[in-house]
């Protein structure tokens, strides 16, 4: 059971198998739809866990503030296994992609910040997995590709995340030519959030250190603030009310979010600590 | 009073206090909503100042073609004063953010091109202020950050402008980790429009020279053309009619804009000057 | 006659004059509207050529998988001829822009991947032409600009494609100041898909080699897969259903596309060739 207003259906076993979701007493808490209308009236209890520090502490269960998706060996992920699809009827193939899209929803809906740690090659659905996470951290010798066109199966699904992380022409170039992009170029283009500096000897160690440092940056803030911030971020980026890039409408909406945020326990503690020049002791 | 079809309310004192708006006989002229439907019928008088050179000259008043937001000292702006918010009821905090969002609207709605000159640190609402201006010019030792999460108040409002100026993963990384971005990286990622080259000794002088040169580039064009161009730009970028990135619908719409533009006094003068190989003498 | 569900009207002579479209027995095949609703029911025959390998082979005619727009000399294109517009009534000027926007639609709607080969200056509608192609390949000494504001005619129409290929602040800076961007910076910002490495002596040769290699990458995949991939790409990038960046809805939709793709002749051949470790022999 999913306790939020989310219009998303995710198979229960995925919640535990693929990502450690926030499940307590059989209820799994995920972020609501990324729509400004999901901002509940102040006296509503809907999704209260995002807006009420007491409720957050009750619901959080064992959910960490930050999740890291990492793999071992020289390949981050090369996506689907073609032999699984070959000769299957269309409906069974669709089922594989449905499962895949639920994993992507789970990453987006997780109240945790999801990091992918890339050391090596991330191609096809592997590139999609990376591009779908909130933060991509890569070693410089890593690379990204969407080579499906080479086997007659265009990487349309990976392209969804890739075209939202890269500039559109970069994404299209990858899809149509099957050429890969180095992690350095992917960082220049904005898809890799943080690029590890050490190449060759010590590369893995430096990557792990960077992942550790970034995860520490995230977990050293209040967990409810991170969850609220993540939901608000993915909501505001889509707002286009009033035309143009929607900046004016989104800013007004975001002001309401911040005013509510300012009344949460972690904000009260954060303000006091800042003004008293001491380290905050987070409440969530 | 605001003389345009704008669905925006901005406190009168802001118009004079924060940005020199185009106020004449008590009427302030701002750009209309950034919606293609705001393109008035050819025989309408609505927003005639954008479409009629005579009317533009009447309404322009003392409005410059270009405004520069600059600050003194090593900090461009670090945003809100937390002590102003601490302990305040939610409605008073909301009021602070409402005021802030009106300043952002004023920048976007100003018929002038608004430049921010960044020399130093621009964080939280300071990063928002910079990212909201039309053109960001920065010295290489400057930096940008949205560290609100560190004090329990996620930079959701700054994130609106930051996520529209940076690639989304870069923006999210800044918001969730509170890590800053150097002006060089911000230029690489497209948020800094022009980066000054000189670092260290002479840095401020070189920045001022670049700001001066860019402002001169802008003011050496007709003021009505700049205003019409700004409104059209922020309108077309939001058009998604017909699906995809909306390119086809936006191009058709833009063709109508350019055909009207071609009949304005400055275009007539510009065409003549170009074909006669002489310097134009702008009419607005 | 246009055989697809496209809500686009393109003058017949353009189809042959400007781009070699897929015309057979007087019927020209273009990509349908970039809307998820254009995905036809499985048993429908609408746009069957995208979904049926047999039908594709019938309709394809002489259409190549890849088209290259190239010009000779030191200028790729500097756009419209101002003397053509000077003194003309508004409706005649509008007609010029209508023709221009049909060329842009033709590039977007072509089932072929359209490459622009840039060697030199691409300004105004020339920059638009480049930015509208699917893939931009440039030599390092090339440059891009939208200097219309200098002659009183703001590059609003070029700005549509430029603002969809560059980050928004980069695009606005070009439009308002008339400053040009080098191909290197345009590559860094994502507008140039592939940048040739050799500058000075041998520059043209290296550019031609790169264009040849990229075109070969594209044509060495099945032509139907490229066409389906292109249509799906431009459709999914615009999907915003469910809020935010629309990732979740787009991924679900894309899963259906890939399941259908997997049943096309080229996918069957591609899967077999991959698993049998041999070179595929494409069916379209």
């Amino acid at each position: 059971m999913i306790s939020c207003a989310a219009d998303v259906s995710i198979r229960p076993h995925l919640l535990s198998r693929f990502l450690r979701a926030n499940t307590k007493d059989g209820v799994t808490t995920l972020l609501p739809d990324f729509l400004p209308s999901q901002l509940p009236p102040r006296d509503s209890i809907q999704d209260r866990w995002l807006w009420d520090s007491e409720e957050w502490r009750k619901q959080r269960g064992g959910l960490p503030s930050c999740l890291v998706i990492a793999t071992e060996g020289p390949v981050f992920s090369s996506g689907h296994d073609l032999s699984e699809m070959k000769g299957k009827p269309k409906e069974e193939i669709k089922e594989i992609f449905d499962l895949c899209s639920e994993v992507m929803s789970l990453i987006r809906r997780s109240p945790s910040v999801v990091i992918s740690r890339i050391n090596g090659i991330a191609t096809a659905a592997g590139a999609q997995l990376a591009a779908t996470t909130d933060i991509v951290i890569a070693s410089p010798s890593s690379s990204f590709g969407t080579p499906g066109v080479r086997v007659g199966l265009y990487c349309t699904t990976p392209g969804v995340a890739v075209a939202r992380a890269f500039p559109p022409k970069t994404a299209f170039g990858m899809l149509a030519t099957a050429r890969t992009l180095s992690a350095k170029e992917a960082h220049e283009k904005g898809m890799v959030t943080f690029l590890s500096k050490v190449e060759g000897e010590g590369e893995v160690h430096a990557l792990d250190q960077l992942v550790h440092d970034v995860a520490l940056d995230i977990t050293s803030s209040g967990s409810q603030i991170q969850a609220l911030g993540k939901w608000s971020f993915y909501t505001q980026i889509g707002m286009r009310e009033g035309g143009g890039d929607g900046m004016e409408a989104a800013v007004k909406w975001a002001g309401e979010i911040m005013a509510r945020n300012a009344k949460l326990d972690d904000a009260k503690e954060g303000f006091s600590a800042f003004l008293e020049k001491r380290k905050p002791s987070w409440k969530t």
Side-chain angles (χ1 to χ4, degrees), chain A:
Chain A
M1 190 190 149
I2 293 166
S3 74
C4 68
D7 179 25
V8 61
S9 101
I10 296 175
R11 272 156 262 215
H13 76 275
L14 270 186
L15 297 171
S16 51
R17 242 182 74 192
F18 284 82
L19 273 183
R20 191 173 161 198
N22 179 22
T23 303
K24 195 169 171 290
D25 302 334
V27 175
T28 297
T29 304
L30 293 176
L31 295 180
D33 287 349
F34 301 100
L35 291 167
S37 58
Q38 297 295 316
L39 183 65
R42 290 275 295 163
D43 51 4
S44 152
I45 58 154
Q46 192 195 30
D47 289 317
R48 182 185 269 185
W49 60 287
L50 267 185
W51 306 106
D52 181 322
S53 304
E54 191 55 41
E55 193 64 24
W56 172 268
R57 280 185 291 265
K58 271 193 219 154
Q59 296 250 355
R60 186 184 177 190
L63 184 79
S65 295
C66 178
L67 290 161
V68 178
I69 299 180
T71 59
E72 282 181 14
V75 174
F76 172 71
S77 163
S78 52
H80 295 286
D81 180 353
L82 284 188
S83 65
E84 249 189 44
M85 292 190 205
K86 192 173 180 298
K88 289 267 173 67
K90 190 234 158 200
E91 288 316 314
E92 283 183 40
I93 296 175
K94 178 69 166 44
E95 175 65 15
I96 294 172
F97 287 110
D98 282 349
L99 184 67
C100 177
S101 75
E102 288 181 31
V103 173
M104 304 306 155
S105 273
L106 197 49
I107 291 171
R108 180 59 58 87
R109 300 281 183 152
S110 170
S112 303
V113 174
V114 183
I115 294 175
S116 55
R117 168 201 176 274
I118 313 294
N119 181 44
I121 298 162
T123 53
Q128 178 186 8
L129 181 62
T132 301
T133 59
D134 301 311
I135 289 177
V136 180
I137 307 179
S139 62
S141 69
S142 296
S143 61
F144 301 89
T146 48
V149 73
R150 279 282 151 80
V151 294
L153 185 63
Y154 207 89
C155 281
T156 298
T157 304
V160 168
V162 163
R164 282 160 176 76
F166 284 107
K169 284 204 187 309
T170 307
F172 187 83
M174 292 170 69
L175 289 160
T177 69
R179 292 186 168 214
T180 56
L181 222 65
S182 73
K184 283 174 199 172
E185 214 177 340
H187 179 253
E188 181 184 272
K189 301 290 188 291
M191 182 269 189
V192 167
T193 320
F194 300 110
L195 182 70
S196 175
K197 298 274 178 287
V198 181
E199 198 163 355
E201 206 185 340
E203 184 162 347
V204 174
H205 179 73
L207 174 65
D208 284 333
Q209 186 62 50
L210 180 59
V211 170
H212 176 265
D213 291 349
V214 170
L216 209 64
D217 281 349
I218 291 165
T219 55
S220 64
S221 297
S223 64
Q224 187 181 26
I225 306 303
Q226 287 287 4
L228 177 57
K230 178 174 171 176
W231 176 73
S232 303
F233 177 81
Y234 287 112
T235 301
Q236 64 85 356
I237 56 170
M239 290 178 70
R240 290 292 178 274
E241 285 76 7
D245 62 4
M247 183 273 286
E248 293 178 281
V251 159
K252 275 186 205 168
W253 179 83
E256 169 69 22
I257 299 287
M258 288 192 74
R260 292 190 188 195
N261 182 158
K263 304 314 289 177
L264 295 177
D265 286 359
D266 280 339
K268 289 177 195 165
E269 168 61 15
F271 284 25
S272 293
F274 179 80
L275 297 172
E276 293 161 17
K277 296 180 182 176
R278 60 170 174 82
K279 221 173 115 64
S281 166
W282 300 120
K283 306 301 176 194
T284 72

